[in-house]
Amino acid sequence: MKTNKSKMLKRILPVLLFLIGFSVNLHAQSKLGMAFGQISGQIKNSEKKPVEFATISLLDQDSTIITGVLSDTLGKYAFKDIESGNYILIVRHLEYETKQVALFNLKSGEQKNIPEIEVKVATTGLKELVVSAKVPLFEVQADKIVFNVEASPSASGTNGLELLKQSPGVTLDMDNNISLLGRGGIQIYINGKRSRLTGNDLSMYLQSLTSDNIATIEIISNPSSKYDAEGNAGIINIKIKKNLALGFNGTANANSSKGNFYRSSAGVALNYGGSKINASARLTYSDSDNQDDLFDTKDQNGSFIDSKSYELRSQKSSNVDFGLEAILSKKHSLNFSGVAILNDNLNQLQNTTKIYQQKTDLQEILNAKTLMNGGANNFNFNLQHRWDISSSENFSADVSYGNYQTDRHTEQPNTFYALDGELVLSTKNTSFDAATDINFYSIKADYDKSWKKLTLSTGAKYGIIKTDNAFDFYNIEGNVPLLDDSRSNTFSYQEKVLALYGLANVKFNKKYNLNVGLRMENTNSHGELFSSKEIDKKDVMRQYNNLFPNIGLAYNDQKSHAWNLSLGKRITRPSYTDLNPFITPQSQLLVWEGNPFLKPNYIMNYQFTYTLKQRLTITNAYSVTKDFFATIFESIGENSYRVIPQNMQKATSYAVSVSYPFQVNKYWNVTTFFNGSFNTFNGDLSGTIIDLSARNYYIRVQNSLKLPKGFNMDLSYYKFSDLIWRGSILVEGNQGVNFGLRKEFFEKKLQINITGSDIFRTDSDYFYKGNYGGFVTDGLRVFDNRRFSISAALKFGNQKLKAKRKSSNSLNDELRRLQDSN
């Protein structure tokens, strides 16, 4: 298998390297000796008075947004360091009609002054903006990187978890644990609201989101004090698509994907936009089969097992989300949103394990099956009131509620055979029922006040998480299930977090900007186990207070150079699944056991980012994590093992990220990303000494091509190095190639996508090794990553964009509105 991958890569790598080198050379030649120009002008109304705080957007001749500025108190604006070419200006203001300046040419080094632009007073707050702005694939901003999913033809047909693999700086291990810039402990937000799910529950939730419903993925590696302190590596905010058009409109989409197994999805989105009411509803259904095969050997204390597992995870998911915005007045609005995700899961696993003594003396063969079926339902609701007190002052209050429920029935028939594989030595059939009920409650308030050079933000949040978990274990005797009280139990967990924060943003001048913030969080948690079995960890209570400072200093000379230096402290609390001390069988020889004594871990993040001419971006990040969460294998019998999470004393990470987008010609754009990190893991885990280090890197080159007949194509190559899995296992790196082809019909109302992921099947097999504490493991895990899909999306109804009320971050909102109109 490795040999075939190597031969294939030897064929494709020279071609890819040639394309990359050739494009970089062309780009370098085209920039040599170029002189940048400037575009300036003034905005006035029909009374010849200056119009301040108008949004002026600069677009190229293909309607792609280049940049944007706000007019000053005299109505003046200026775009500096602009390359020669043909451009369009769009002027927008809430009180005036949108104005477009026709296509004009800027020569190399020219100081171009646009004739005075006069805007008319709007007769209604709902003016249409007919612009088709093309969105860049990735946007590198001062505090985050934005992945515009809609701009990627190859993204169609994937789910939310697969999209994270395509996001810059993001990596996933074999358990779908998410890392950012080499650091684990990421927090997932949906439309700015924290999901609160972890582990396998989070993976299933992300897999239920289809790419056709996702607008952008925001990657925030060092969040400010305004965000929850939870999440060592930062925040990933997934934004679901919204339509801001007038009147009634909608989109219908469908997708079919084929790898070793089929996956499909279909959905419809309905929207209504009015002067006082905006409403949206979206329904999506998906049906997917996911392969997860494992070939593994374990060697410890003279015993040796050789295991082969074939698993198919089937998931049927129905997603419903809705939103309702009521504009009560010019200053007050109410927003109510909700989402319901209903999952029906069926997992089938077939395992054959050979049990040896001293690797050569075969003792017996275990034939085991695991059949799990059940459901997982997730409900989230949020009500927000926003009060725009003035143009420089606003207040908002949110009330949120969420509920997550799972109910799973698992059967595990086990048969031990003699060496011939036919004579039955013994049988051990078991089953268990597991149910989880989680409730989330939170209330928060935020206040912002801006002056000319100072913005102050403050707020408070109170959140409660309550979980109830029930586990009933049965021994099957004569097809009759008998409850085993000694292995059955219930576990309840409650966590309360009270948070207060303050944040100041100081603009010293046009070049320097300072952010200083402090967040205080008080945490109370209580985990309680109810079981007939006498154990010493039935009731665990914790109470702790923490301060989380965050500071950032930014510089921007408005020409070529910009940098940002920041540091911040964050926390990751143990998930309820890791705290739950259940002993859950994975097979007759392997169990999962939670650890109620897991402590939260703390991390200090230090980050420096440099940007050259708003293109080349280099980020250096260093972090130190205390009480890092590690997951280790332990022997609990002659041939039995358990997987258990424990705190490791220390983990460090140094990471560097480089991104560079450039245009080879008007038909070919290239975006390059490189992430490298050096990670260390050190600790004594109940006598098991861990002392590991790893140098990791990730390279991604994304080519966006405009082809004849209106076709658009993505071609991307990625490669990642060896990585550490579960803090103790070394996994070999992989690489792959993806492509996407997109074509629009009927005035862009119908869009067809054809995509392929891991097309040479070089990122489906994961080889791993481990050797610690006398425990040696060697294995291969196989996924169904090579897939080809076709999808279609049909827009209907009115698609013309309307104006929207300005928020405190008006410029970014206006530019985003233009981008979302594509």
Side-chain angles (χ1 to χ4, degrees):
M1 194 173 296
K2 282 187 169 181
T3 303
N4 292 335
K5 289 203 301 183
S6 300
K7 289 181 179 179
M8 184 67 71
L9 289 172
K10 285 180 181 179
R11 296 172 183 169
I12 65 173
L13 279 176
V15 177
L16 291 168
L17 292 174
F18 170 78
L19 289 174
I20 296 168
F22 179 70
S23 61
V24 170
N25 182 56
L26 285 178
H27 179 67
Q29 292 182 28
S30 66
K31 299 298 179 187
L32 190 61
M34 175 176 288
F36 295 96
Q38 176 175 303
I39 301 170
S40 59
Q42 188 177 25
I43 313 296
K44 289 186 177 182
N45 59 23
S46 57
E47 297 178 356
K48 298 300 180 181
K49 293 181 179 181
V51 176
E52 60 179 336
F53 303 123
T55 303
I56 304 97
S57 304
L58 181 68
L59 294 76
D60 66 15
Q61 62 183 358
D62 294 322
S63 296
T64 300
I65 295 176
I66 305 300
T67 185
V69 295
L70 292 175
S71 60
D72 61 18
T73 55
L74 298 177
K76 294 184 178 181
Y77 64 91
F79 297 98
K80 300 178 181 179
D81 299 317
I82 304 299
E83 300 176 4
S84 60
N86 296 318
Y87 295 98
I88 300 169
L89 288 181
I90 300 291
V91 180
R92 298 189 73 243
H93 194 285
L94 183 63
E95 299 176 6
Y96 299 93
E97 294 183 354
T98 298
K99 186 70 173 284
Q100 176 172 320
V101 177
L103 190 71
F104 61 89
N105 179 263
L106 177 70
K107 298 178 181 178
S108 178
E110 182 182 3
Q111 304 294 307
K112 191 175 191 65
N113 185 60
I114 302 296
E116 179 183 291
I117 301 174
E118 181 180 308
V119 291
K120 297 180 181 179
V121 176
T123 57
T124 175
L126 298 175
K127 288 297 176 182
E128 296 179 357
L129 173 63
V130 186
V131 177
S132 180
K134 297 179 181 178
V135 187
L137 184 63
F138 298 106
E139 297 175 72
V140 181
Q141 301 179 9
D143 60 338
K144 60 190 172 185
I145 295 176
V146 180
F147 172 20
N148 292 299
V149 177
E150 297 168 292
S152 174
S154 61
S156 183
T158 58
N159 60 49
L161 194 65
E162 293 167 330
L163 281 176
L164 290 183
K165 295 180 181 180
Q166 302 180 30
S167 303
V170 179
T171 56
L172 278 73
D173 68 13
M174 293 193 296
D175 293 326
N176 290 325
N177 294 313
I178 304 165
S179 297
L180 176 60
L181 293 177
R183 305 191 302 255
I186 198 76
Q187 283 296 314
I188 300 297
Y189 282 58
I190 307 295
N191 286 337
K193 307 298 179 184
R194 185 175 159 196
S195 69
R196 293 194 175 277
L197 297 179
T198 60
N200 187 56
D201 295 329
L202 177 61
S203 297
M204 288 194 301
Y205 172 69
L206 292 174
Q207 287 172 340
S208 71
L209 299 176
T210 64
S211 60
D212 294 323
N213 291 336
I214 297 175
T216 62
I217 296 177
E218 297 179 341
I219 302 164
I220 309 170
S221 57
N222 207 2
S224 72
S225 301
K226 195 169 185 176
Y227 292 94
D228 288 349
E230 183 82 15
N232 284 356
I235 290 170
I236 294 178
N237 183 31
I238 299 175
K239 286 192 172 183
I240 306 301
K241 287 182 181 179
K242 292 183 179 181
N243 194 310
L244 302 174
L246 287 163
F248 174 78
N249 63 85
T251 303
N253 61 74
N255 171 269
S256 179
S257 170
K258 178 67 172 69
N260 293 330
F261 300 93
Y262 281 102
R263 300 174 193 170
S264 62
S265 66
V268 62
L270 303 175
N271 304 276
Y272 172 78
S275 59
K276 296 295 184 180
I277 296 292
N278 297 298
S280 64
R282 189 184 305 273
L283 172 64
T284 304
Y285 176 80
S286 62
D287 188 348
S288 62
D289 290 331
N290 300 277
Q291 175 185 357
D292 188 357
D293 299 339
L294 187 66
F295 309 94
D296 184 270
T297 63
K298 294 181 177 66
D299 186 2
Q300 187 180 39
N301 300 327
S303 65
F304 182 83
I305 64 174
D306 185 356
S307 176
K308 294 180 174 60
S309 297
Y310 302 88
E311 183 174 9
L312 181 63
R313 300 174 180 172
S314 301
Q315 178 175 310
K316 297 180 180 180
S317 178
S318 299
N319 294 14
V320 180
D321 67 76
F322 63 89
L324 179 65
E325 179 188 29
I327 301 174
L328 307 178
S329 67
K330 290 184 178 180
K331 294 187 176 183
H332 295 275
S333 64
L334 283 176
N335 288 272
F336 181 63
S337 61
V339 60
I341 302 174
L342 311 176
N343 291 321
D344 186 12
N345 303 304
L346 175 63
N347 293 359
Q348 303 175 72
L349 183 146
Q350 175 70 54
N351 172 267
T352 301
T353 300
K354 296 180 178 180
I355 303 172
Y356 295 81
Q357 291 292 337
Q358 303 300 330
K359 290 189 179 182
T360 57
D361 185 10
L362 179 62
Q363 299 293 305
E364 55 188 347
I365 300 173
L366 169 63
N367 189 345
K369 294 181 179 180
T370 299
L371 305 174
M372 188 282 289
N373 65 77
N377 301 326
N378 188 10
F379 304 92
N380 288 277
F381 305 97
N382 183 77
L383 176 64
Q384 181 193 64
H385 170 246
R386 181 177 175 86
W387 178 18
D388 292 316
I389 303 171
S390 68
S391 60
S392 61
E393 188 177 13
N394 66 79
F395 173 83
S396 65
D398 289 74
V399 178
S400 300
Y401 168 72
N403 175 259
Y404 179 76
Q405 297 178 350
T406 64
D407 189 0
R408 298 166 183 152
H409 174 72
T410 303
E411 298 180 0
Q412 288 186 335
N414 300 272
T415 305
F416 289 88
Y417 293 90
L419 305 187
D420 60 4
E422 296 183 1
L423 177 63
V424 176
L425 300 178
S426 63
T427 60
K428 180 66 173 178
N429 298 333
T430 62
S431 70
F432 53 89
D433 295 322
T436 299
D437 187 5
I438 311 173
N439 289 282
F440 314 103
Y441 311 85
S442 72
I443 182 171
K444 75 183 186 81
D446 299 282
Y447 172 78
D448 297 283
K449 172 66 175 178
S450 298
W451 292 270
K452 187 174 182 180
K453 292 189 176 183
L454 174 66
T455 298
L456 293 178
S457 302
T458 187
K461 181 178 181 179
Y462 183 63
I464 301 175
I465 305 173
K466 294 182 178 180
T467 76
D468 292 296
N469 308 270
F471 183 82
D472 294 327
F473 188 90
Y474 298 90
N475 294 308
I476 309 299
E477 298 183 8
N479 293 324
V480 177
L482 301 177
L483 180 67
D484 187 343
D485 288 332
S486 66
R487 302 181 69 177
S488 302
N489 42 37
T490 60
F491 178 72
S492 67
Y493 177 76
Q494 179 172 277
E495 182 178 276
K496 301 178 181 179
V497 179
L498 172 64
L500 302 172
Y501 79 88
L503 180 65
N505 179 278
V506 184
K507 296 180 180 179
F508 295 111
N509 50 44
K510 292 183 178 180
K511 295 183 179 181
Y512 286 94
N513 185 69
L514 176 67
N515 271 289
V516 180
L518 180 65
R519 188 179 185 91
M520 184 281 291
E521 292 190 353
N522 168 264
T523 305
N524 286 274
S525 66
H526 182 199
E528 189 172 9
L529 176 69
F530 301 91
S531 173
S532 61
K533 185 178 180 180
E534 288 299 325
I535 55 177
D536 60 356
K537 45 186 177 182
K538 286 190 174 184
D539 198 346
V540 179
M541 300 182 67
R542 283 202 178 94
Q543 190 277 334
Y544 47 93
N545 297 301
N546 297 115
L547 294 177
F548 300 95
N550 189 283
I551 185 170
L553 178 64
Y555 169 84
N556 191 335
D557 65 3
Q558 310 298 321
K559 294 181 180 179
S560 300
H561 305 285
W563 54 259
N564 182 285
L565 176 64
S566 64
L567 62 90
K569 182 181 179 181
R570 299 187 64 77
I571 185 176
T572 295
R573 299 176 180 88
S575 69
Y576 74 91
T577 51
D578 287 346
L579 290 170
N580 186 349
F582 283 175
I583 298 177
T584 306
Q586 306 294 304
S587 70
Q588 186 68 14
L589 304 179
L590 181 66
V591 299
W592 163 270
E593 182 175 345
N595 181 359
F597 298 109
L598 273 180
K599 297 180 291 185
N601 64 45
Y602 298 90
I603 187 170
M604 280 299 301
N605 291 325
Y606 308 86
Q607 186 166 306
F608 178 78
T609 300
Y610 170 76
T611 302
L612 176 64
K613 296 187 182 299
Q614 300 182 357
R615 289 184 178 272
L616 174 65
T617 301
I618 303 173
T619 298
N620 288 272
Y622 177 71
S623 64
V624 179
T625 304
K626 295 183 178 179
D627 292 321
F628 175 80
F629 298 147
T631 305
I632 65 171
F633 288 94
E634 290 183 348
S635 175
I636 55 174
E638 183 178 356
N639 296 311
S640 300
Y641 303 88
R642 72 174 177 180
V643 180
I644 184 170
Q646 293 194 21
N647 287 110
M648 183 182 292
Q649 278 88 339
K650 183 179 178 182
T652 67
S653 174
Y654 169 72
V656 59
S657 173
V658 181
S659 66
Y660 184 56
F662 58 89
Q663 185 174 19
V664 179
N665 54 48
K666 64 180 181 180
Y667 304 109
W668 185 7
N669 288 281
V670 180
T671 304
T672 60
F673 279 97
F674 169 81
N675 299 291
S677 65
F678 176 73
N679 301 288
T680 65
F681 304 87
N682 306 98
D684 183 349
L685 306 181
S686 301
T688 299
I689 304 299
I690 302 293
D691 186 8
L692 294 175
S693 64
R695 293 175 176 83
N696 305 318
Y697 64 84
Y698 174 84
I699 300 171
R700 184 178 184 85
V701 180
Q702 184 100 11
N703 297 273
S704 299
L705 305 169
K706 294 180 182 179
L707 303 179
K709 305 295 183 180
F711 284 91
N712 290 277
M713 182 178 181
D714 277 356
L715 179 63
S716 63
Y717 166 76
Y718 62 92
K719 177 178 174 62
F720 56 91
S721 65
D722 298 351
L723 54 89
I724 300 296
W725 176 40
R726 293 178 173 174
S728 57
I729 304 294
L730 179 66
V731 181
E732 293 184 15
N734 278 345
Q735 53 193 323
V737 175
N738 300 336
F739 81 88
L741 187 65
R742 178 169 64 199
K743 170 68 174 174
E744 295 177 323
F745 303 89
F746 309 120
E747 298 180 342
K748 299 186 177 181
K749 291 184 177 181
L750 174 64
Q751 183 182 101
I752 303 294
N753 293 272
I754 298 174
T755 64
S757 60
D758 188 24
I759 58 178
F760 296 107
R761 205 188 175 281
T762 53
D763 187 27
S764 293
D765 300 334
Y766 286 73
F767 295 87
Y768 62 89
K769 293 182 180 181
N771 188 347
Y772 59 88
F775 183 92
V776 180
T777 183
D778 192 348
L780 164 66
R781 198 167 177 180
V782 179
F783 299 99
D784 187 15
N785 289 340
R786 181 169 68 174
R787 310 194 61 81
F788 299 90
S789 70
I790 182 169
S791 65
L794 176 65
K795 297 178 181 179
F796 54 88
N798 185 15
Q799 298 292 328
K800 295 181 179 179
L801 198 65
K802 68 172 185 176
K804 187 181 178 183
R805 298 175 0 134
K806 288 183 182 291
S807 68
S808 57
N809 192 4
S810 59
L811 175 58
N812 288 339
D813 286 348
E814 295 300 310
L815 292 177
R816 172 61 60 196
R817 188 176 300 112
L818 283 171
Q819 293 169 351
D820 288 345
S821 67
N822 186 26

